[in-house]
Amino acid sequence: MTDSRTPGFTTQIVHADRRATVEHGAIHKPIHTSVQYGFERVEDLIAVFQGTAKGGFNYARQGTPTTGALEAKLTQMEQGVGTITFATGMAGICAIFLTLLKAGDHLVASRFVFGNTNSVFGTLADLGISVTTVDATDAAQVAAAVQPNTRMVFVETIANPGTQIADLEGIGQLCRDKGLLYVVDNTVGSPYLFKPARVGAGLVVHSLTKSIGGHGNALGGSVTDTGMFDWASYPNIFPAYRKGDTKGWGLQQIRKKGLRDMGGTLSSTAAHQIAAGAETLALRMDRTSATALALAQWLEQHPAIARVHYPMLPSHPQHARAKQHFKAGSWLLSFELKNADDCLGLCNRLQLPVKATGLADTRTLIIPVAHTIFWEAGPEVRASMGIGDSLIRLSVGLEEAEDLIADFAQALG
Ligand SMILES: *Cc1c(COP(=O)(O)O)cnc(C)c1O
C-alpha cells in the first residue's frame, strides 16, 4: 500500500501469503506432507530444536510449512502475536486447559458453552482443577465466583445453541484488574464479526471446522495469543519456557506441551483446505448473517413459534451488547415451538435444512437440541442452560433467504 490506508479484512487475508516467499511462486501455500525436515549442517538442526532458529521445522507433529502459513493467516485475522493450530477445536481447548492449569487451580467458565467443552470441565474436576460455571452474560456473577486460586476465565462469544452473549467487556475489565487469563472461544463470532483482543482477551480459541473453514470438509482448531496477557505474572509457566520475550511464553508452553506432547496436530491437507475457506470468511459471514436475520425475523412473527434466539433481534436479552460489539449476528439461531410435540415433525417436513449435527457448513443444518447434542448432559444441565425440550438449532448456510423462508412456510403450514 502506497498510502497510509489500512487495507480491509479480505484484502489483507488474500494477499498475506505472498508477503513471504511461497515455493515456486505458488499463489496458494502448497500441501507439505513430509514428516521429517532435513538440514545440510547439523548446527541448523540443533538451532530448530533449541528454538534459536527463526521458524524452521523438524518433525511434523509440531507443525509444517502449510500449518505455519495458516497460523500466520489466523494471527493476522485476530490481530494477535502468534497462533498454534490443532487437529480439532476440542484439541485446542484441551491444550489450553491441560497445559496452563494444574491441580489446585480454579477455572471460572460460562455456563453457556459448547456441550463437549462442558464435558471437559468434568474431566478437569477429576484432575483436581475445580471449575465454577456461571451466567457469564453478567460480569458480576463472574466476579463473585473468583477465588484466590482462580487462574482463568473461559467464555464463548455467541453461545451455542442459545446465542447468549457474555459480558465480554466487563469480564475483560475484571480479568485485567485481577490478573486472570481471559480465554474467549470466538468460533461463532469469527474474527470478521468480532475481535476478542478488543475486550482484553489473552487467548482466542477457534474451531476452524466452523466459520473459518466454512465448507464442512475439514476439522481444525486454533489458539491465538493476542499479546495482551502478561505471562511473566503467570505462575504455571515451566522454567524451560520462561525464555525470550515474555509475550511468547504462553504459546511456547502450549506448543511444546499441548501440541508436541499431546499430539493433536492439524494435518497439512486440512490446513490447506481451511486456508482456502478462510479467504471467503467475510463474504460467507455477511451472507449467512443476513439470511439468519431475515429468517429469525420471519420466524419470530409466526404464530407457531414461541421464541427465537438471535442476537440481532431486539427481543434478544443481549441485543444492545450484540449491536455494540458485532458487525452482524452470524449463522447460528435457535427457536422453540409453541407445540413442543411438533419438534421432530417440523424437522422432518423441512426439505432444505439437512438434519445433521455440526455448524457453519455451506448448507443449512438443523437439529433438535435436547434429543441429540444435549442428550448426554441430562435434564438438569439442560434446564440450567435454558435448553427447552422443543429447542431447535439452525446453522444457516449459503442458500437464498427466500428459499429457506418458503420451506419454513410450507413446513409450519
Ligand atoms: C464445534 C465447536 C467446538 C469444537 O470444535 P471441533 O472442531 O468440532 O472439535 C468448540 N467450540 C465451539 C463454540 C464449537 O462450536
Side-chain angles (χ1 to χ4, degrees):
M1 293 285 132
T2 49
D3 60 23
S4 59
R5 282 186 66 249
T6 305
F9 186 89
T10 297
T11 305
Q12 286 190 39
I13 297 309
V14 297
H15 287 282
D17 288 354
R18 300 189 296 115
R19 303 280 176 237
T21 314
V22 181
E23 301 86 316
H24 313 294
I27 298 288
H28 295 274
K29 188 73 178 174
I31 302 173
H32 286 271
T33 55
S34 187
V35 173
Q36 270 78 235
Y37 291 81
F39 299 86
E40 287 296 327
R41 294 164 5 106
V42 73
E43 288 82 357
D44 295 333
L45 173 62
I46 291 168
V48 172
F49 261 85
Q50 296 188 355
T52 52
K54 255 228 166 303
F57 301 92
N58 58 9
Y59 189 70
R61 192 181 339 103
Q62 288 186 70
T64 67
T66 315
T67 60
L70 175 62
E71 288 169 355
K73 216 188 268 290
L74 295 165
T75 299
Q76 182 164 26
M77 282 183 163
E78 288 289 3
Q79 288 166 12
V81 295
T83 297
I84 304 173
T85 50
F86 292 88
T88 63
M90 288 317 301
I93 289 170
C94 285
I96 291 174
F97 293 149
L98 297 177
T99 65
L100 295 176
L101 298 172
K102 57 183 208 268
D105 286 346
H106 177 241
L107 165 72
V108 180
S110 169
R111 180 182 299 157
F112 309 114
V113 291
F114 185 64
N116 301 153
T117 303
N118 194 63
S119 172
V120 172
F121 295 158
T123 306
L124 295 181
D126 285 348
L127 294 172
I129 299 160
S130 57
V131 183
T132 307
T133 57
V134 298
D135 179 351
T137 62
D138 177 7
Q141 293 209 27
V142 177
V146 171
Q147 305 171 4
N149 58 340
T150 304
R151 297 266 171 264
M152 186 187 291
V153 176
F154 181 93
V155 303
E156 292 181 4
T157 39
I158 302 177
N160 157 33
T163 76
Q164 295 89 348
I165 297 179
D167 185 351
L168 296 160
E169 207 165 16
I171 297 169
Q173 187 59 50
L174 172 77
C175 289
R176 241 187 328 274
D177 292 348
K178 305 253 178 204
L180 301 172
L181 176 58
Y182 186 18
V183 182
V184 176
D185 180 336
N186 194 24
T187 296
V188 181
S190 91
Y192 174 63
L193 300 182
F194 172 70
K195 290 181 179 49
R198 281 208 204 123
V199 294
L203 294 177
V204 181
V205 54
H206 281 285
S207 166
L208 301 173
T209 317
K210 316 290 173 56
S211 306
I212 292 177
H215 292 71
N217 62 7
L219 289 158
S222 66
V223 176
T224 298
D225 189 330
T226 63
M228 306 199 65
F229 184 69
D230 175 21
W231 292 104
S233 70
Y234 198 72
N236 296 353
I237 301 291
F238 292 92
Y241 310 125
R242 294 182 165 270
K243 288 204 186 112
D245 186 352
T246 55
K247 286 218 187 312
W249 289 7
L251 281 195
Q252 275 185 101
Q253 180 151 317
I254 297 171
R255 188 178 290 279
K256 298 292 185 187
K257 294 283 165 186
L259 191 63
R260 184 196 63 188
D261 294 4
M262 295 179 190
T265 307
L266 182 67
S267 74
S268 288
T269 307
H272 181 84
Q273 285 167 305
I274 291 164
E279 298 195 343
T280 59
L281 175 65
L283 284 71
R284 289 182 287 100
M285 293 308 282
D286 281 338
R287 166 79 167 214
T288 53
S289 295
T291 304
L293 177 60
L295 192 56
Q297 287 167 336
W298 186 88
L299 286 169
E300 193 171 47
Q301 54 73 48
H302 195 283
I305 304 294
R307 214 167 289 107
V308 181
H309 308 280
Y310 190 68
M312 291 302 163
L313 291 178
S315 58
H316 190 281
Q318 293 91 40
H319 178 63
R321 188 175 290 160
K323 296 284 278 187
Q324 179 195 347
H325 290 300
F326 294 83
K327 201 190 288 284
S330 192
W331 36 259
L332 176 69
L333 75 88
S334 57
F335 61 94
E336 285 161 75
L337 293 169
K338 281 190 186 143
N339 173 13
D341 294 340
D342 194 33
C343 174
L344 308 189
L346 173 67
C347 292
N348 282 329
R349 290 193 302 277
L350 284 163
Q351 300 297 306
L352 284 178
V354 183
K355 288 164 275 295
T357 189
L359 298 165
D361 203 315
T362 51
R363 298 119 168 98
T364 296
L365 309 178
I366 190 166
I367 193 160
V369 175
H371 308 72
T372 56
I373 47 178
F374 278 91
W375 179 250
E376 188 184 301
E380 275 169 34
V381 172
R382 286 201 297 271
S384 79
M385 295 179 74
I387 295 169
D389 289 344
S390 76
L391 187 72
I392 294 175
R393 181 184 80 183
L394 271 183
S395 167
V396 174
L398 298 176
E399 302 93 337
E400 276 73 15
E402 313 82 76
D403 295 328
L404 287 169
I405 289 172
D407 194 20
F408 270 91
Q410 71 74 23
L412 284 167

